[in-house]
Amino acid sequence: MANNLRFQVVEEAFKKRAVEVKVPQERPSEYFGKYVFNKQKMFRYLPSDVYNTMIDVMDNGARLDRSIADAVADGMKKWAMEMGVTHYTHWFQPLTEGTAEKHDAFVEHDGKGGMIEKFSGKLLVQQEPDASSFPNGGIRNTFEARGYSAWDPTSPVFIIDDTLCIPTIFIAYTGEALDYKAPLLRSLHAVGKAAKDVCQLFYDDVTKVQVNLGWEQEYFLVDEGLYSARPDLLMTGRTLMGHESAKNQQMDDHYFGTIPDRVQAFMKDLEIQALELAIPVKTRHNEVAPNQFELAPIFEECNLAVDHNMLLMSLMKKVARNHGFRVLLHEKPFDGINGSGKHNNWSLSADNGVLLHAPGKTPEENLRFVTFIVETLMAVHKHNGLLKASIMSATNEHRLGGNEAPPAIISSFLGTQLTELLDHIEQSDTNELFNLQGKQGMAIDIPQIPDLIIDNTDRNRTSPFAFTGNRFEFRAPGSSVNCASAMIALNAAMAEALASFKQRVDKKIQAYSQQPTSNTQHVKTAAILEVLKEDIKTCKPIRFDGNGYSDEWVKEAARRGLDVEKSCPVIFEHYLDESSVKMFESTKVMNRKELEARNEVKWETYVKTVQIEGRVLGDLAMNHIIPVATHYQSQLIKNVQGMKDVFSADKAERLSSRNMKLIEEIAERTERIEQQVEELTEARKVANRIENIHERAIVYHDTVCPKMESIRYEIDKLELIVEDGLWTLPKYRELLFIR
């Protein structure tokens, strides 16, 4: 029955057709934000003075006055109930890489034996979930359960089904952050203040600097029936075994190809629902690997962009099931082909309309541009190990360094023009300003084709942190993670770098100003250039424009002092480097206790992830693979015995020689699998006896993971020789090419 079931599942998958999507009659701009309590709805449902106060909080960072909470809650409830909402929830982002919510109804006793719909400001502003049941790294004991979720008014409230979702932070009773949003908000405040201070060296009218984020979400789609027939996909998100398909991505025919009908229907449905939630999705296309796709929005303010990405990942899973798919957000669900990342396009913009990482039209503006480029490089150089730790996980560890994913060494690509400019500034003996060459036209020798506008930088697909014209693209984060992890580290590092830059420039300005012939503007320019020259030289090791996959780069990176460690649990240690702790504490993003707790969570999550994979692999090996292989072996043995009954001894031996080799190979491989599964189980037991979670994670990496790879090797070899009709698990050629 097992083999018939597999073929039946594959056949059903091939028969599936696209689900018809009900497309709204309005234009996207008309239903954008339909289920979001945005400024337009706030203006309609809130008193004017309350509305103005909320706008001040959202746009200018003013402190929220709890006295207006009742009025805001009343307006929200009125709008929500008109939309058919019956419940509300505080929607937060614990350290699980997902989101959490506890739904409560809009009901209270009316004092007359009945119920009334009620939603107060107190319920809006804070709630009390159980803090001990979420990952907390030892900050809270099981018997110390109290924790608080507190409303984040800078991220709009939205509706999912019949529930009003209120974005919140999540903190312990003792005040420590237990989520991603709280430290993210702190990091945004820190970098915003530091960047504003530096901006005021160039502009008198800058009062606020905003962090922008545009994420690119890669993902795989797999037919739901095939997904359910693979216990490893079901429980771990990736295939723990499976020989590569004869054809995978080597022809490059899937990349930017025509989107299959079923997938197009899924994408259309997803985009409509995303736009209704004010997620500004813009781009969709086939990615490189078969059944791999990408979705990207217009960039937004960083906090809102993170919330939207978390909401979108949840929405993707729901919509995919309606179309007979399962979304795979694991960084490496299939061996031998591209994994999935979440490229974070990061930039800073001032409230005077200037994008700080974009070149200007005057020498003074270009000095500002170079300043923010160099200080970004300073941040990345000083904390390259920490930035790698911020994107590392048990799942992303499989992706980094292969099939177009950036290597596990943080470096930055700038392009020829910018590299030459920084070298020129470093080597110059004068304090002269400079002009930058902007985008240039490229004439194409085809009369009908207009000139192309060429950017001043190329792209380097192996660079983890590449400059792309007016922003940096942090390509190393994995597809399943919360973007906030990388953004917290990057924002805090940038805040530290900018604060240091401003402090050193101010000292030089003060020193130069003592000279009798000093000119204010000249003094400021000279001071900025002097500090830039120092920093360009200091951060030079982080700049790399070559092939990040080469063995030579690994050696060169180590020589430059960059972190080349590959072990995930060891990389996590960078969160507790003294330089990291000092940086996080000086910027008031996280304290040592919070950092220690987060590392405990990271090591524990790593152990549990590998532990589950090991258990699943052992179960599949013993209960699926070996029984199938030995069943086929028995058929071969019967064939050999039958040969002896039909042919002469010499002829039977000659004709059955191939089957004899297969019988022997199956016996040897199944024996090795059984032995290695026993060794894997024992390795887990030994590791589990280690009390220190840090040491346990390292042992899991060093002993358990290699044994899993050895088991996989034997299984994949068996898949090639066992009769196809007997193999119980859908194969790569079936998982990857279902349309």
Side-chain angles (χ1 to χ4, degrees), residues 269-400:
D269 199 357
L270 175 63
E271 287 177 359
I272 291 169
Q273 295 190 45
L275 290 169
E276 289 176 335
L277 289 166
I279 305 173
V281 291
K282 182 177 179 67
T283 302
R284 65 188 184 199
H285 63 82
N286 289 4
E287 256 300 335
V288 175
N291 276 19
Q292 187 186 32
F293 308 93
E294 181 178 296
L295 178 150
I298 303 169
F299 74 89
E300 302 177 277
E301 185 276 325
C302 185
N303 177 46
L304 183 58
V306 169
D307 282 1
H308 279 167
N309 183 249
M310 297 304 293
L311 179 55
L312 181 92
M313 289 194 291
S314 176
L315 190 63
M316 289 172 77
K317 296 172 184 177
K318 174 184 172 183
V319 175
R321 296 195 70 171
N322 293 337
H323 291 260
F325 288 120
R326 286 298 185 107
V327 168
L328 302 183
L329 293 174
H330 193 288
E331 283 72 14
K332 196 74 171 179
F334 303 103
D335 193 39
I337 60 174
N338 277 20
S340 294
K342 181 148 38 198
H343 305 168
N344 284 202
N345 293 280
W346 173 88
S347 65
L348 302 174
S349 59
D351 59 356
N352 65 349
V354 174
L355 194 58
L356 300 180
H357 286 105
K361 295 181 179 180
T362 66
E364 290 76 14
E365 284 196 320
N366 286 328
L367 182 59
R368 176 267 307 157
F369 163 67
V370 170
T371 295
F372 279 91
I373 292 293
V374 171
E375 294 316 305
T376 301
L377 295 176
M378 283 290 288
V380 176
H381 172 253
K382 182 175 181 180
H383 297 288
N384 71 93
L386 172 66
L387 287 175
K388 184 161 73 171
S390 76
I391 56 86
M392 186 56 70
S393 66
T395 53
N396 205 21
E397 189 175 31
H398 295 290
R399 164 183 167 256
L400 295 176

Side-chain angles (χ1 to χ4, degrees), residues 521-639:
Q521 184 59 44
H522 177 75
V523 164
K524 184 167 66 173
T525 300
I528 291 171
L529 281 168
E530 283 296 321
V531 176
L532 282 178
K533 288 177 183 179
E534 297 170 4
D535 288 355
I536 289 171
K537 185 175 181 179
T538 298
C539 68
K540 201 167 188 176
I542 204 68
R543 289 156 46 191
F544 179 66
D545 291 358
N547 179 11
Y549 290 158
S550 69
D551 294 335
E552 291 77 14
W553 168 233
V554 177
K555 297 175 184 177
E556 172 64 15
R559 187 190 67 77
R560 295 185 184 191
L562 304 181
D563 187 271
V564 297
E565 179 61 56
K566 294 183 178 179
S567 169
C568 180
V570 175
I571 291 169
F572 288 152
E573 295 172 8
H574 285 296
Y575 271 98
L576 299 178
D577 290 345
E578 282 306 311
S579 60
S580 299
V581 176
K582 181 180 177 181
M583 180 266 289
F584 279 120
E585 290 191 330
S586 67
T587 55
K588 299 181 180 179
V589 173
M590 284 187 282
N591 59 38
R592 184 183 293 272
K593 185 176 181 180
E594 288 173 315
L595 291 168
E596 289 173 345
R598 281 163 195 268
N599 259 28
E600 290 286 309
V601 172
K602 287 178 180 292
W603 285 318
E604 187 174 357
T605 301
Y606 181 88
V607 167
K608 289 178 178 178
T609 299
V610 179
Q611 186 180 72
I612 292 169
E613 289 183 348
R615 289 174 174 171
V616 172
L617 180 61
D619 174 57
L620 288 175
M622 300 304 295
N623 296 314
H624 285 255
I625 306 304
I626 289 181
V628 168
T630 52
H631 180 60
Y632 180 54
Q633 185 185 47
S634 298
Q635 291 183 349
L636 294 174
I637 291 171
K638 289 180 181 179
N639 178 270

Side-chain angles (χ1 to χ4, degrees), residues 135 166 174 233 235 289 329 367 403 479 494 621 632 657 682 696 730:
I166 305 161
T174 46
L233 274 180
M235 288 186 277
L329 293 174
L367 182 59
N403 299 99
S479 56
M494 186 63 173
Y632 180 54
S657 61
E682 184 58 31
R696 192 189 315 161

Side-chain angles (χ1 to χ4, degrees), residues 35-297:
Y35 295 113
V36 178
F37 195 65
N38 53 25
K39 291 180 180 179
Q40 181 184 30
K41 298 183 182 73
M42 288 168 59
F43 183 79
R44 177 182 173 188
Y45 286 91
L46 300 182
S48 59
D49 59 329
V50 174
Y51 170 79
N52 291 330
T53 301
M54 284 298 301
I55 295 301
D56 192 30
V57 171
M58 296 171 66
D59 291 351
N60 303 317
R63 182 172 293 277
L64 177 68
D65 186 346
R66 289 181 69 115
S67 64
I68 70 167
D70 281 334
V72 175
D74 189 61
M76 281 184 185
K77 186 193 69 158
K78 184 177 180 181
W79 167 71
M81 292 186 68
E82 288 177 6
M83 299 293 289
V85 168
T86 57
H87 289 67
Y88 68 93
T89 183
H90 276 200
W91 183 82
F92 57 99
Q93 301 166 26
L95 303 178
T96 59
E97 303 301 334
T99 58
E101 52 199 64
K102 174 173 71 77
H103 297 199
D104 288 305
F106 286 139
V107 293
E108 295 289 346
H109 287 294
D110 66 355
K112 303 173 184 177
M115 304 290 282
I116 59 172
E117 287 78 17
K118 188 175 181 181
F119 181 53
S120 67
K122 180 181 178 181
L123 297 175
L124 167 64
V125 171
Q126 73 179 60
Q127 207 173 42
E128 186 187 326
D130 187 342
S132 68
S133 298
F134 289 101
N136 60 67
I139 285 180
R140 307 297 292 154
N141 294 309
T142 303
F143 60 86
E144 298 172 317
R146 195 183 298 273
Y148 294 117
S149 55
W151 175 35
D152 170 20
T154 64
S155 186
V157 169
F158 57 92
I159 294 172
I160 297 290
D161 296 325
D162 65 350
T163 303
L164 183 70
C165 300
I166 305 161
T168 63
I169 64 169
F170 180 43
I171 61 173
Y173 176 71
T174 46
E176 294 88 3
L178 296 174
D179 68 343
Y180 285 107
K181 181 182 276 285
L184 176 65
L185 291 173
R186 295 172 190 160
S187 77
L188 293 172
H189 175 75
V191 72
K193 181 182 183 304
K196 181 194 71 174
D197 292 344
V198 172
C199 269
Q200 289 175 345
L201 292 170
F202 305 96
Y203 308 103
D204 295 330
D205 58 343
V206 171
T207 60
K208 177 184 176 183
V209 172
Q210 173 178 291
V211 180
N212 305 309
L213 171 62
W215 40 263
E216 303 168 23
Q217 180 71 59
E218 295 177 337
Y219 61 96
F220 282 85
L221 288 176
V222 175
D223 185 89
E224 188 165 27
L226 296 170
Y227 173 89
S228 300
R230 288 286 308 223
D232 49 354
L233 274 180
L234 191 66
M235 288 186 277
T236 74
R238 76 178 180 110
T239 53
L240 300 175
M241 61 192 71
H243 197 280
E244 65 178 305
S245 172
K247 178 184 183 298
N248 48 53
Q249 67 183 46
Q250 66 265 51
M251 298 298 292
D252 296 321
D253 53 348
H254 185 67
Y255 190 49
F256 280 19
T258 302
I259 300 172
D261 290 345
R262 284 181 64 200
V263 177
Q264 181 90 339
F266 157 75
M267 288 179 169
K268 186 185 300 183
D269 199 357
L270 175 63
E271 287 177 359
I272 291 169
Q273 295 190 45
L275 290 169
E276 289 176 335
L277 289 166
I279 305 173
V281 291
K282 182 177 179 67
T283 302
R284 65 188 184 199
H285 63 82
N286 289 4
E287 256 300 335
V288 175
N291 276 19
Q292 187 186 32
F293 308 93
E294 181 178 296
L295 178 150

